[in-house]
Amino acid sequence: MKTGIESIGFYSPQYCFDLRKLAAERGVDGDKYIHGIGQSYMAVPPIDEDVVTMGANAAREAIEKVDASAIDAVIFATESGVDQSKSGAVYIHRLLNLPSTCKVVEMKQACAAGTMGVLSALGMIALNPKSKILLIASDIARYGLNTAGEPTSGAGAIAMVLSANPVIMELDYRHGTYAADVMDFWRPNYMDEALVDGKYSIRVYLKALTEAWKDYARSTDRTFDDHDRFCYHLPFTRMGIKAHSYLYKHCGDSVLDEASLPAQVDASLRYNRLTGNLYTGSAYVALLSLLESPDEQLAGKRVALFSYGSGCLGIFYSGVVQADYRQYLPANQHKTMLEQRSELGYEQYVSMYSTRLPIDGSEFMANKHRTGHYRLAGVCAHKRIYESTN
Ligand code: HMG
């Protein structure tokens, strides 16, 4: 039985900020952000969008052409959760009118939670081939203003229906893993912004990559050259380029010329360069960016996927793109969504960044901004109120 991706939805906020403008404000050479880090824009969520509304927008698109009555679980992966107890999945379950027989849960292990959700879904489908699982990875990557992490901020959500009808991509459950208790990036419950030991986090990412690769290669007998394309967790796009070259040098079995490496990752970097880090969704936005690239013919090609979640967990696995994959991807909608965003000026960016929900339970009604089909209307009696915008 084949299992994998039947549909994909993607959403990123409708406001963005140009990293050249940020560089000018921070007194940094713009080329550092554009080329050194590899980011052109960051997506900026307004106060009436959070991981639930972004996730609901992505999920709405993912279930548009799928028999939603067959969805029997919603797995919500995030590290920007809105409640310590209630899962984001259950809000989205209501917003999308999913069946009451559907299971709902939220998962966390930094950016690796999306892939833990995928692997869990594949296991559930193996036990019940009729099942369709809605996996949503939604996050706001938020660092302090004027910190080294700031240019790697971003936001958005990706949603996939995983099932035994993987018309986009068959996923192989066999994977390699590396876990270790490290403090490279974390966010204590009392903080809004992530704390990070940036350079150390890059070293741990690369260690997790090579160790997870070795475990994967052992369990699948595949070599580097068995893979046509590689999608990495992208905290910023240069990380994907660095990771690919590092893996090539350390896997020890490639006969490829080094000059062929960029073609194996370039198409996966396009969307992230415009949105910034999506944490749990990042590796899958890389995959979508690759699949929707007009320059790629991917039918039958094996794509490697590496997810890295700080703290840390690395997971390496792969899948094969299916023959008619293109017809199931709303590539033009995604292009339009990213092209029609409103660009913020610096003052607007700082103001949007600094507007926060009250933390003392006082009532709050959020100003209306450009959003997708769902928005956070406010907070009343400690309860978040979500509404449809149409
Ligand atoms: P930094 O220290 O400001 O930057 O922070 P840098 O000095 O390392 O420079 C970055 C690159 O720009 C360097 O290239 C410079 O040479 C180059 P490299 O040496 O790496 O090849 N550069 C220039 N290039 C062109 N023209 C110039 C120029 N100047 C310099 N004029 C850092 C960078 C990524 C550390 C920072 O942004 C940060 O801390 N970000 C957040 C943490 C992060 O993204 N870590 C990545 C690995 S951990 C991860 O992926 C997990 C995560 O997603 C969270 C989760 O799992 O939940 C973060």
Side-chain angles (χ1 to χ4, degrees):
M1 180 179 70
K2 283 185 175 185
T3 53
I5 306 171
E6 180 173 346
S7 69
I8 309 187
F10 172 42
Y11 179 81
S12 188
Q14 311 204 6
Y15 298 94
C16 63
F17 186 50
D18 184 336
L19 287 201
R20 281 209 185 271
K21 285 189 191 154
L22 180 66
E25 292 293 335
R26 299 292 174 247
V28 170
D29 180 352
D31 284 351
K32 173 174 174 181
Y33 292 170
I34 306 296
H35 303 296
I37 289 180
Q39 296 305 114
S40 300
Y41 290 90
M42 62 167 83
V44 183
I47 189 69
D48 55 347
E49 285 198 305
D50 64 12
V51 288
V52 168
T53 62
M54 293 191 300
N57 279 300
R60 176 181 165 127
E61 190 179 74
I63 65 169
E64 230 163 34
K65 297 199 175 95
V66 167
D67 174 12
S69 67
I71 291 177
D72 68 357
V74 182
I75 301 177
F76 186 68
T78 189
E79 53 186 293
S80 343
V82 298
D83 196 285
Q84 292 283 4
S85 170
K86 182 167 172 160
S87 80
V90 74
Y91 289 112
I92 295 175
H93 173 272
R94 175 183 58 85
L95 291 169
L96 299 183
N97 293 316
L98 293 174
S100 60
T101 48
C102 187
K103 295 168 276 295
V104 287
V105 72
E106 184 165 312
M107 283 200 168
K108 178 170 72 182
Q109 175 31 59
C111 303
T115 295
M116 279 311 300
V118 171
L119 295 180
S120 310
L122 296 182
M124 290 160 90
I125 298 159
L127 291 171
N128 174 14
K130 286 196 185 131
S131 137
K132 289 187 194 289
I133 314 291
L134 176 59
L135 179 278
I136 304 162
S138 182
D139 264 307
I140 298 173
R142 187 180 158 90
Y143 300 89
L145 294 177
N146 221 342
T147 62
E150 186 183 22
T152 63
S153 303
I158 192 123
M160 296 183 278
V161 173
L162 299 153
S163 75
N165 180 31
V167 290
I168 296 177
M169 187 164 165
E170 180 188 1
L171 296 174
D172 182 351
Y173 180 81
R174 288 177 299 165
H175 54 275
T177 310
Y178 172 79
D181 181 4
V182 293
M183 293 302 280
D184 61 330
F185 167 106
W186 67 105
R187 184 166 68 83
N189 285 344
Y190 49 83
M191 290 190 71
D192 266 356
E193 293 96 8
L195 297 171
V196 63
D197 186 343
K199 301 246 176 3
Y200 176 56
S201 72
I202 294 173
R203 290 200 300 279
V204 187
Y205 177 122
L206 295 174
K207 162 101 175 156
L209 169 62
T210 45
E211 293 302 318
W213 161 263
K214 283 186 216 158
D215 191 33
Y216 166 82
R218 263 193 306 271
S219 69
T220 58
D221 277 336
R222 291 194 188 110
T223 68
F224 185 93
D225 297 349
D226 288 328
H227 304 83
D228 300 290
R229 296 288 180 269
F230 293 73
C231 293
Y232 293 90
H233 165 58
L234 297 176
F236 49 93
T237 66
R238 263 303 293 292
M239 188 71 232
I241 295 166
K242 264 181 204 262
H244 194 49
S245 149
Y246 194 84
L247 181 63
Y248 167 80
K249 287 185 182 128
H250 287 78
C251 70
D253 61 13
S254 180
V255 296
L256 290 178
D257 188 315
E258 200 166 347
S260 57
L261 295 186
Q264 295 186 319
V265 289
D266 278 357
S268 73
L269 310 177
R270 301 175 308 132
Y271 288 172
N272 181 285
R273 196 174 275 125
L274 303 176
T275 62
N277 197 351
L278 263 81
Y279 287 160
T280 49
S282 249
Y284 298 95
V285 172
L287 175 63
L288 186 66
S289 172
L290 169 69
L291 293 171
E292 294 188 342
S293 166
D295 305 324
E296 293 275 5
Q297 296 303 330
L298 297 165
K301 298 262 163 73
R302 179 166 293 281
V303 178
L305 285 152
F306 175 66
S307 235
Y308 173 72
S310 282
C312 76
L313 174 65
I315 306 175
F316 200 104
Y317 74 124
S318 69
V320 175
V321 180
Q322 300 300 288
D324 299 321
Y325 73 101
R326 268 190 201 289
Q327 75 184 70
Y328 300 99
L329 294 167
N332 286 336
Q333 262 165 253
H334 297 151
K335 189 167 176 279
T336 307
M337 175 181 75
L338 293 169
E339 280 173 1
Q340 292 187 347
R341 297 182 299 175
S342 303
E343 259 197 58
L344 300 173
Y346 177 69
E347 300 304 330
Q348 291 170 302
Y349 156 67
V350 172
S351 157
M352 227 174 238
Y353 176 95
S354 310
T355 310
R356 313 266 171 108
L357 295 177
I359 53 168
D360 59 359
S362 48
E363 196 165 316
F364 177 83
M365 295 315 284
N367 284 341
K368 276 199 172 166
H369 292 84
R370 281 187 67 192
T371 63
H373 297 286
Y374 308 100
R375 67 182 291 274
L376 174 68
V379 182
C380 185
H382 298 281
K383 296 174 190 161
R384 285 187 183 232
I385 303 157
Y386 292 105
E387 65 182 17
S388 298
T389 55
N390 53 12

